[in-house]
Amino acid sequence: MRQAVLNLEESEIREVANAGMGRADVLPFWFGESDEVTPEAIRAAGIASLQAGETFYSHNLGLPALRDAVAAYTSALHGGVAIDRIAITSGGVNALIVAMQALIDAGDEVVAVTPVWPNLTAQPRILGARLRCVALQPDAAGAWRLDLPALLAAITPATKMLVVNSPNNPTGWTLSKAEQQAILERCRATGTWVLSDEVYERLYYAGDTASGAAPSFLDIARPGDRLVVVQSFSKAFLMTGWRLGYLVMPPDMTPQVGKLLEFNTSCAPVFVQRAAMVALAQTEAITPRIVAHLQRCRDTLVPLLQAVPGVRTSAAPGGMYAFLRIEGQDDSLSLAKRLVAEAGLGLAPGIAFGPEAEGWLRWCFASQDVARLGQGVDRLRAWLAAQA
């Protein structure tokens, strides 16, 4: 096998989850998804499509009606985006790897802002790219910040692609419009592609944008800029298991991505695409409720954690995670396993997101039952007291 594949590490999140799956006494907050099922109207649309016999291939780029709906949805948030810039993919992960396959050659330099969801750094390595990381830094309160001058200096004419995820998984850090403008201008000057993972854009709580969504590179970019934005239906529509995402890209790139999709997944399932059309049509009835509930979850969990002696964390402006550090605990994988075994509490180890996050833990607060968050904090507090 290729050495790049042999060198891949198994997911530390899965390693922790495997230790606790099937145990009724464990409160699981390790995976990045809500425990609430997909809204009924979306599920009904998928069922109706299957009942109608829509079990055949569709266009490589997706159903034209869905691409048109995605273009309209994106335009409402970020200004005019035409259908010729949209490709439907089989999940956000598929969107990421297709974009990288389209743009990265073996040996190319890729710069990534870390810590980050491990797929974003593993995929360039799988393709044989040379990866350089620019680390976010936590302040004394536990809020993560970007050293913008350091990032701009890291982007040179030798940099083929910048990979950035904002709002960020796991920290919740979110790029400001001014930071995006500086990054885009630098990448224009160096000829660098920006691959922007914006799947959490609707899970944004700062309330400082007209759309309510997090700042996007699409707000400031020109259609022909070397910018590819990755999106997914997973987070804002509770559709993680449906595996549907999309790309927004320069129009002359879209037909080439269509060819590439043929050799990846061929096309997304039609019944999933029909369900997504209903999700977009009912977004105002679905997404604001989800976002309001997640903000309630965040605003419940974070103060409870901050009240636990030795815990450092901050309320992030975006995403669905609290990222926390426990004083004196530097081995996050060992700590996460102990919490499962000894406290019945399932959290993701920070090391899974890069060495910059070692010693930290990610807590997904997307819980339908908000009271479960308090129960989890009680278990953490009791476990820490037993260690004293």
Side-chain angles (χ1 to χ4, degrees), residues 166-192:
S166 172
N168 174 259
N169 174 11
T171 68
W173 159 80
T174 303
L175 276 167
S176 69
K177 183 176 180 179
E179 288 171 328
Q180 288 177 331
Q181 187 68 59
I183 291 168
L184 185 59
E185 289 175 0
R186 177 62 177 165
C187 289
R188 283 170 176 164
T190 60
T192 299

Side-chain angles (χ1 to χ4, degrees), residues 49-280:
S49 175
L50 287 171
Q51 293 286 10
E54 292 188 315
T55 59
F56 303 98
Y57 295 129
S58 71
H59 194 288
N60 295 134
L61 290 170
L63 294 173
L66 176 57
R67 293 176 65 211
D68 189 58
V70 166
Y73 171 80
T74 306
S75 296
L77 292 173
H78 305 301
V81 173
I83 188 175
D84 64 355
R85 298 178 62 191
I86 304 296
I88 306 301
T89 63
S90 297
V93 180
N94 180 228
L96 285 163
I97 193 65
V98 166
M100 293 189 193
Q101 288 173 332
L103 297 171
I104 296 174
D105 283 314
D108 282 345
E109 179 182 277
V110 174
V111 171
V113 178
T114 54
V116 73
W117 183 50
N119 292 48
L120 275 74
T121 51
Q123 289 175 338
R125 292 190 179 106
I126 291 170
L127 296 173
R130 294 179 293 110
L131 184 68
R132 296 176 58 203
C133 296
V134 176
L136 302 170
Q137 299 294 330
D139 63 18
W144 291 70
R145 301 282 184 261
L146 173 67
D147 184 340
L148 182 60
L151 177 61
L152 298 180
I155 301 168
T156 73
T159 308
K160 184 65 174 290
M161 176 181 286
L162 168 68
V163 179
V164 62
N165 166 224
S166 172
N168 174 259
N169 174 11
T171 68
W173 159 80
T174 303
L175 276 167
S176 69
K177 183 176 180 179
E179 288 171 328
Q180 288 177 331
Q181 187 68 59
I183 291 168
L184 185 59
E185 289 175 0
R186 177 62 177 165
C187 289
R188 283 170 176 164
T190 60
T192 299
W193 283 88
V194 177
L195 181 60
S196 183
D197 178 350
E198 301 182 5
V199 301
Y200 293 95
E201 72 161 356
R202 297 300 301 272
L203 310 188
Y204 185 61
Y205 317 111
D208 56 359
T209 62
S211 67
S216 168
F217 280 100
L218 294 173
D219 296 326
I220 56 175
R222 298 186 289 263
D225 275 325
R226 292 188 172 188
L227 168 69
V228 180
V229 172
V230 171
Q231 274 291 358
S232 169
F233 286 85
S234 291
K235 312 303 179 182
F237 298 102
L238 303 179
M239 294 178 67
T240 52
W242 294 76
R243 311 314 305 134
L244 196 69
Y246 56 93
L247 291 165
V248 185
M249 70 199 98
D252 59 355
M253 182 176 170
T254 308
Q256 310 307 318
V257 166
K259 291 191 299 183
L260 192 54
L261 283 167
E262 170 64 27
F263 300 106
N264 274 264
T265 58
S266 182
C267 58
V270 173
F271 74 92
V272 176
Q273 295 188 65
R274 294 293 188 199
M277 290 171 61
V278 169
L280 293 176

Side-chain angles (χ1 to χ4, degrees), residues 320-336:
M320 56 170 64
Y321 311 108
F323 208 46
L324 62 137
R325 183 167 188 128
I326 299 173
E327 183 179 350
Q329 300 287 343
D330 297 325
D331 184 338
S332 60
L333 181 57
S334 174
L335 174 59

